[in-house]
Amino acid sequence: MSTLAVAPGYAAPRERAVRAARPARPAARAAAPAPAAPVRLTRRGRLVVTLLFVVALTVLATVFGATSAATGEAGTPVPTRTVVVQEGDTLWAIAGEVAAPGDVREMVHRIQELNALPGSGLTLGQELAVPLG
């Protein structure tokens, strides 16, 4: 639903005749314009204003938001070796063979990053790139 504001310029036929009989005001005493009626938003209007605000905020976040810091240059390659997962192997055990004592957790993380593993689960026969030392 929407609302419609009607200006008070409409007068009944009898009132028009009375107004026509009155003398016109002099130009020097012109009255100040009547204050404008306050703007009222309907439910649909509030929804439209809210949606426009959200769209504008999304556009600003997209334009001025975080950008990728990736470059076209290749990084330094990590020396790796390939390990084929055997029955009973775990990511922790494979990392423990390569990592220095006390650094097994960090090596597990590096192996997961190198191979884009979503978790620590391995499958039989899977080939893993394992960093050297």
Side-chain angles (χ1 to χ4, degrees), residues 1 16 19 23 30 43 46 52 70 73-74 79-80 97 101 103 113 115 126:
M1 300 187 129
R16 269 190 256 150
R19 285 186 184 174
R43 183 178 292 182
R46 285 191 299 266
L52 287 175
E73 300 174 15
T80 61
E97 293 174 7
D103 293 334
E113 283 183 338
N115 296 284
Q126 182 178 6

PDB file of all heavy atoms in Angstrom, residues 1 16 19 23 30 43 46 52 70 73-74 79-80 97 101 103 113 115 126:
ATOM      1  N   MET A   1       0.843  -1.162   0.000  1.00  0.00           N
ATOM      2  CA  MET A   1       0.000   0.000   0.000  1.00  0.00           C
ATOM      3  C   MET A   1       0.887   1.223   0.000  1.00  0.00           C
ATOM      4  O   MET A   1       1.961   1.227   0.549  1.00  0.00           O
ATOM      5  CB  MET A   1      -0.886   0.024   1.233  1.00  0.00           C
ATOM      6  CG  MET A   1      -1.804  -1.136   1.371  1.00  0.00           C
ATOM      7  SD  MET A   1      -2.886  -0.807   2.748  1.00  0.00           S
ATOM      8  CE  MET A   1      -4.419  -1.127   1.955  1.00  0.00           C
ATOM      9  N   ARG A  16     -15.037  28.545  -3.401  1.00  0.00           N
ATOM     10  CA  ARG A  16     -14.359  29.227  -4.499  1.00  0.00           C
ATOM     11  C   ARG A  16     -14.982  30.600  -4.735  1.00  0.00           C
ATOM     12  O   ARG A  16     -14.288  31.572  -4.976  1.00  0.00           O
ATOM     13  CB  ARG A  16     -14.437  28.391  -5.777  1.00  0.00           C
ATOM     14  CG  ARG A  16     -13.263  27.469  -5.927  1.00  0.00           C
ATOM     15  CD  ARG A  16     -13.230  26.848  -7.292  1.00  0.00           C
ATOM     16  NE  ARG A  16     -13.709  25.478  -7.103  1.00  0.00           N
ATOM     17  CZ  ARG A  16     -14.355  24.769  -7.980  1.00  0.00           C
ATOM     18  NH1 ARG A  16     -14.651  25.283  -9.145  1.00  0.00           N
ATOM     19  NH2 ARG A  16     -14.732  23.548  -7.731  1.00  0.00           N
ATOM     20  N   ARG A  19     -13.849  32.981  -2.011  1.00  0.00           N
ATOM     21  CA  ARG A  19     -12.447  33.360  -2.203  1.00  0.00           C
ATOM     22  C   ARG A  19     -12.305  34.347  -3.352  1.00  0.00           C
ATOM     23  O   ARG A  19     -11.482  35.254  -3.309  1.00  0.00           O
ATOM     24  CB  ARG A  19     -11.588  32.123  -2.484  1.00  0.00           C
ATOM     25  CG  ARG A  19     -11.330  31.308  -1.268  1.00  0.00           C
ATOM     26  CD  ARG A  19     -10.367  30.206  -1.589  1.00  0.00           C
ATOM     27  NE  ARG A  19     -10.195  29.356  -0.433  1.00  0.00           N
ATOM     28  CZ  ARG A  19      -9.509  28.253  -0.425  1.00  0.00           C
ATOM     29  NH1 ARG A  19      -8.923  27.849  -1.539  1.00  0.00           N
ATOM     30  NH2 ARG A  19      -9.385  27.540   0.661  1.00  0.00           N
ATOM     31  N   PRO A  23     -10.578  40.607  -1.865  1.00  0.00           N
ATOM     32  CA  PRO A  23      -9.552  41.322  -2.628  1.00  0.00           C
ATOM     33  C   PRO A  23      -8.216  40.582  -2.525  1.00  0.00           C
ATOM     34  O   PRO A  23      -7.926  39.939  -1.525  1.00  0.00           O
ATOM     35  CB  PRO A  23      -9.485  42.696  -1.967  1.00  0.00           C
ATOM     36  CG  PRO A  23     -10.070  42.506  -0.609  1.00  0.00           C
ATOM     37  CD  PRO A  23     -11.033  41.354  -0.707  1.00  0.00           C
ATOM     38  N   ALA A  30       3.217  39.392   0.714  1.00  0.00           N
ATOM     39  CA  ALA A  30       3.095  37.975   0.360  1.00  0.00           C
ATOM     40  C   ALA A  30       3.515  37.129   1.553  1.00  0.00           C
ATOM     41  O   ALA A  30       4.525  37.377   2.199  1.00  0.00           O
ATOM     42  CB  ALA A  30       3.964  37.641  -0.841  1.00  0.00           C
ATOM     43  N   ARG A  43       5.439   0.896   4.778  1.00  0.00           N
ATOM     44  CA  ARG A  43       6.226  -0.309   5.013  1.00  0.00           C
ATOM     45  C   ARG A  43       7.041  -0.662   3.775  1.00  0.00           C
ATOM     46  O   ARG A  43       8.208  -1.019   3.848  1.00  0.00           O
ATOM     47  CB  ARG A  43       5.295  -1.464   5.383  1.00  0.00           C
ATOM     48  CG  ARG A  43       6.059  -2.735   5.706  1.00  0.00           C
ATOM     49  CD  ARG A  43       5.135  -3.831   6.110  1.00  0.00           C
ATOM     50  NE  ARG A  43       4.544  -3.463   7.408  1.00  0.00           N
ATOM     51  CZ  ARG A  43       3.709  -4.244   8.061  1.00  0.00           C
ATOM     52  NH1 ARG A  43       3.337  -5.383   7.553  1.00  0.00           N
ATOM     53  NH2 ARG A  43       3.225  -3.870   9.216  1.00  0.00           N
ATOM     54  N   ARG A  46       9.982   1.765   3.479  1.00  0.00           N
ATOM     55  CA  ARG A  46      11.079   1.423   4.400  1.00  0.00           C
ATOM     56  C   ARG A  46      11.866   0.230   3.876  1.00  0.00           C
ATOM     57  O   ARG A  46      13.088   0.188   3.988  1.00  0.00           O
ATOM     58  CB  ARG A  46      10.521   1.135   5.790  1.00  0.00           C
ATOM     59  CG  ARG A  46      10.109   2.383   6.527  1.00  0.00           C
ATOM     60  CD  ARG A  46       9.819   2.112   7.989  1.00  0.00           C
ATOM     61  NE  ARG A  46       8.733   1.154   8.181  1.00  0.00           N
ATOM     62  CZ  ARG A  46       7.458   1.485   8.373  1.00  0.00           C
ATOM     63  NH1 ARG A  46       7.112   2.744   8.415  1.00  0.00           N
ATOM     64  NH2 ARG A  46       6.533   0.559   8.539  1.00  0.00           N
ATOM     65  N   LEU A  52      18.078  -0.587  -0.621  1.00  0.00           N
ATOM     66  CA  LEU A  52      19.040   0.290  -1.287  1.00  0.00           C
ATOM     67  C   LEU A  52      20.276   0.506  -0.427  1.00  0.00           C
ATOM     68  O   LEU A  52      21.401   0.524  -0.934  1.00  0.00           O
ATOM     69  CB  LEU A  52      18.385   1.627  -1.622  1.00  0.00           C
ATOM     70  CG  LEU A  52      17.387   1.605  -2.774  1.00  0.00           C
ATOM     71  CD1 LEU A  52      16.725   2.968  -2.922  1.00  0.00           C
ATOM     72  CD2 LEU A  52      18.049   1.186  -4.064  1.00  0.00           C
ATOM     73  N   ALA A  70      48.258 -11.723  -4.001  1.00  0.00           N
ATOM     74  CA  ALA A  70      49.017 -12.632  -4.844  1.00  0.00           C
ATOM     75  C   ALA A  70      49.715 -11.856  -5.961  1.00  0.00           C
ATOM     76  O   ALA A  70      49.206 -10.869  -6.461  1.00  0.00           O
ATOM     77  CB  ALA A  70      48.091 -13.682  -5.445  1.00  0.00           C
ATOM     78  N   GLU A  73      54.722 -13.409  -9.651  1.00  0.00           N
ATOM     79  CA  GLU A  73      56.050 -13.983  -9.505  1.00  0.00           C
ATOM     80  C   GLU A  73      55.983 -15.317  -8.761  1.00  0.00           C
ATOM     81  O   GLU A  73      55.220 -15.475  -7.825  1.00  0.00           O
ATOM     82  CB  GLU A  73      56.947 -13.024  -8.726  1.00  0.00           C
ATOM     83  CG  GLU A  73      57.107 -11.678  -9.385  1.00  0.00           C
ATOM     84  CD  GLU A  73      57.879 -10.709  -8.523  1.00  0.00           C
ATOM     85  OE1 GLU A  73      58.531 -11.153  -7.558  1.00  0.00           O
ATOM     86  OE2 GLU A  73      57.818  -9.521  -8.806  1.00  0.00           O
ATOM     87  N   ALA A  74      56.809 -16.239  -9.199  1.00  0.00           N
ATOM     88  CA  ALA A  74      56.869 -17.537  -8.528  1.00  0.00           C
ATOM     89  C   ALA A  74      57.693 -17.407  -7.253  1.00  0.00           C
ATOM     90  O   ALA A  74      58.671 -16.664  -7.191  1.00  0.00           O
ATOM     91  CB  ALA A  74      57.506 -18.566  -9.447  1.00  0.00           C
ATOM     92  N   PRO A  79      61.934 -27.827  -1.562  1.00  0.00           N
ATOM     93  CA  PRO A  79      62.425 -29.146  -1.970  1.00  0.00           C
ATOM     94  C   PRO A  79      61.593 -30.236  -1.281  1.00  0.00           C
ATOM     95  O   PRO A  79      61.434 -30.232  -0.059  1.00  0.00           O
ATOM     96  CB  PRO A  79      63.882 -29.161  -1.512  1.00  0.00           C
ATOM     97  CG  PRO A  79      64.009 -28.061  -0.525  1.00  0.00           C
ATOM     98  CD  PRO A  79      62.917 -27.093  -0.783  1.00  0.00           C
ATOM     99  N   THR A  80      61.047 -31.136  -2.076  1.00  0.00           N
ATOM    100  CA  THR A  80      60.174 -32.184  -1.539  1.00  0.00           C
ATOM    101  C   THR A  80      60.573 -33.543  -2.084  1.00  0.00           C
ATOM    102  O   THR A  80      61.330 -33.662  -3.032  1.00  0.00           O
ATOM    103  CB  THR A  80      58.706 -31.930  -1.924  1.00  0.00           C
ATOM    104  OG1 THR A  80      58.585 -31.951  -3.346  1.00  0.00           O
ATOM    105  CG2 THR A  80      58.198 -30.617  -1.385  1.00  0.00           C
ATOM    106  N   GLU A  97      58.722 -38.810  10.719  1.00  0.00           N
ATOM    107  CA  GLU A  97      59.936 -39.329  10.086  1.00  0.00           C
ATOM    108  C   GLU A  97      60.784 -38.202   9.508  1.00  0.00           C
ATOM    109  O   GLU A  97      61.999 -38.305   9.446  1.00  0.00           O
ATOM    110  CB  GLU A  97      59.567 -40.298   8.958  1.00  0.00           C
ATOM    111  CG  GLU A  97      58.912 -41.574   9.421  1.00  0.00           C
ATOM    112  CD  GLU A  97      58.445 -42.428   8.247  1.00  0.00           C
ATOM    113  OE1 GLU A  97      58.750 -42.068   7.075  1.00  0.00           O
ATOM    114  OE2 GLU A  97      57.768 -43.425   8.495  1.00  0.00           O
ATOM    115  N   PRO A 101      62.969 -33.310  16.022  1.00  0.00           N
ATOM    116  CA  PRO A 101      62.241 -33.590  17.258  1.00  0.00           C
ATOM    117  C   PRO A 101      61.546 -32.331  17.794  1.00  0.00           C
ATOM    118  O   PRO A 101      62.131 -31.263  17.873  1.00  0.00           O
ATOM    119  CB  PRO A 101      63.331 -34.063  18.224  1.00  0.00           C
ATOM    120  CG  PRO A 101      64.449 -34.519  17.358  1.00  0.00           C
ATOM    121  CD  PRO A 101      64.373 -33.699  16.108  1.00  0.00           C
ATOM    122  N   ASP A 103      59.082 -30.760  16.332  1.00  0.00           N
ATOM    123  CA  ASP A 103      58.464 -29.968  15.263  1.00  0.00           C
ATOM    124  C   ASP A 103      57.462 -30.769  14.437  1.00  0.00           C
ATOM    125  O   ASP A 103      57.168 -30.422  13.306  1.00  0.00           O
ATOM    126  CB  ASP A 103      59.534 -29.410  14.324  1.00  0.00           C
ATOM    127  CG  ASP A 103      60.429 -28.384  14.992  1.00  0.00           C
ATOM    128  OD1 ASP A 103      59.954 -27.749  15.957  1.00  0.00           O
ATOM    129  OD2 ASP A 103      61.571 -28.200  14.542  1.00  0.00           O
ATOM    130  N   GLU A 113      49.373 -28.275   3.849  1.00  0.00           N
ATOM    131  CA  GLU A 113      49.363 -27.139   2.928  1.00  0.00           C
ATOM    132  C   GLU A 113      49.925 -27.506   1.564  1.00  0.00           C
ATOM    133  O   GLU A 113      49.381 -27.108   0.540  1.00  0.00           O
ATOM    134  CB  GLU A 113      50.170 -25.977   3.515  1.00  0.00           C
ATOM    135  CG  GLU A 113      49.458 -25.214   4.589  1.00  0.00           C
ATOM    136  CD  GLU A 113      50.275 -24.028   5.071  1.00  0.00           C
ATOM    137  OE1 GLU A 113      51.528 -24.019   4.895  1.00  0.00           O
ATOM    138  OE2 GLU A 113      49.660 -23.104   5.618  1.00  0.00           O
ATOM    139  N   ASN A 115      49.949 -30.334   0.037  1.00  0.00           N
ATOM    140  CA  ASN A 115      49.096 -31.258  -0.700  1.00  0.00           C
ATOM    141  C   ASN A 115      47.629 -30.840  -0.727  1.00  0.00           C
ATOM    142  O   ASN A 115      46.789 -31.586  -1.238  1.00  0.00           O
ATOM    143  CB  ASN A 115      49.228 -32.659  -0.076  1.00  0.00           C
ATOM    144  CG  ASN A 115      50.633 -33.194  -0.234  1.00  0.00           C
ATOM    145  OD1 ASN A 115      51.026 -33.620  -1.306  1.00  0.00           O
ATOM    146  ND2 ASN A 115      51.409 -33.141   0.843  1.00  0.00           N
ATOM    147  N   GLN A 126      47.795 -43.086  -1.798  1.00  0.00           N
ATOM    148  CA  GLN A 126      47.841 -41.642  -2.053  1.00  0.00           C
ATOM    149  C   GLN A 126      49.292 -41.178  -2.064  1.00  0.00           C
ATOM    150  O   GLN A 126      50.094 -41.591  -1.238  1.00  0.00           O
ATOM    151  CB  GLN A 126      47.055 -40.919  -0.961  1.00  0.00           C
ATOM    152  CG  GLN A 126      46.970 -39.425  -1.124  1.00  0.00           C
ATOM    153  CD  GLN A 126      46.124 -38.796  -0.021  1.00  0.00           C
ATOM    154  OE1 GLN A 126      45.694 -39.458   0.905  1.00  0.00           O
ATOM    155  NE2 GLN A 126      45.905 -37.496  -0.139  1.00  0.00           N
TER     156      GLN A 126
END
